[in-house]
Amino acid sequence: MIRFLLLFSRQAKLRLQKWYTPLSDREKKKIIRDMTLTILARPPRSCNFLQWRDLKIVYKRYASLYFCCGLEEQDNELVALEFIHRYVELLDQYFGNVCELDIIFNFEKAYFILDEFVIGGEIQETSKLCVARSMEESDSLQETMEEYVNKPTY
């Protein structure tokens, strides 16, 4: 089970966080600080897996963003690495070559994509097509609602 997903920049700015286990704000802040400092301090050619406390940490850098997952001890690191890659592919498909600014200004879409893909820390949908279809339906519904709300009344 995935315990958390963090996205942060090379400057250690947190861009996205999703927690799948209940933790206090203090614990979350400590984990965020420890993860960003630990991962950013590692040499570029280091392994993408590390042991931290009772968790396995899997991370991958894409452009200026680090995608970091905290896993339980029995979980497979390669599945988590594939999960990160699939999430980046879905973001790329939706935003068209996703960048840090896309995440900053459209964070609700990034969370929506993640929630379509993972529920409660477990991967629910592996099909990029199904997630993309869900995103299209959501966007279509949002556009319809905006048209309805903005429709002039006479």
Side-chain angles (χ1 to χ4, degrees):
M1 183 176 125
I2 299 168
R3 295 262 191 101
F4 60 82
L5 174 72
L6 304 174
L7 270 70
F8 54 90
S9 69
R10 289 185 293 187
Q11 294 77 31
K13 301 279 188 199
L14 188 65
R15 300 303 183 199
L16 195 81
Q17 61 179 319
K18 186 72 174 188
W19 302 89
Y20 296 106
T21 54
L23 296 170
S24 69
D25 286 343
R26 186 176 184 184
E27 289 174 302
K28 289 178 183 179
K29 286 178 184 174
K30 180 159 178 39
I31 290 171
I32 291 167
R33 186 179 64 244
D34 289 351
M35 284 300 93
T36 55
L37 293 176
T38 302
I39 291 171
L40 291 173
R42 291 172 63 90
R45 298 266 183 214
S46 294
C47 178
N48 292 60
F49 313 132
L50 61 111
Q51 192 68 35
W52 184 77
R53 295 185 188 170
D54 63 334
L55 298 176
K56 292 179 186 176
I57 304 300
V58 178
Y59 70 94
K60 182 84 171 132
R61 179 178 162 199
Y62 289 91
S64 64
L65 285 175
Y66 285 88
F67 292 72
C68 172
C69 259
L71 306 175
E72 293 179 350
E73 194 64 40
Q74 69 275 10
D75 289 334
N76 186 326
E77 300 93 336
L78 295 175
V79 171
L81 198 59
E82 181 61 28
F83 153 71
I84 291 170
H85 185 70
R86 180 60 53 103
Y87 182 49
V88 172
E89 286 179 328
L90 290 165
L91 290 170
D92 269 344
Q93 185 176 347
Y94 184 76
F95 290 111
N97 200 13
V98 69
C99 68
E100 191 173 347
L101 290 175
D102 290 325
I103 303 294
I104 292 169
F105 293 115
N106 299 294
F107 64 90
E108 69 283 346
K109 293 294 183 185
Y111 278 117
F112 186 87
I113 293 169
L114 184 60
D115 290 342
E116 286 295 313
F117 184 40
V118 178
I119 298 173
E122 300 288 339
I123 297 172
Q124 297 299 310
E125 184 57 67
T126 57
S127 168
K128 288 190 294 186
L129 185 63
C130 287
V131 174
R133 190 176 307 124
S134 177
M135 289 301 301
E136 288 172 13
E137 290 170 1
S138 170
D139 287 346
S140 175
L141 180 62
Q142 186 175 359
E143 287 172 11
T144 304
M145 289 303 296
E146 286 173 0
E147 288 173 8
Y148 179 76
V149 168
N150 295 329
K151 186 178 179 180
T153 56
Y154 299 102

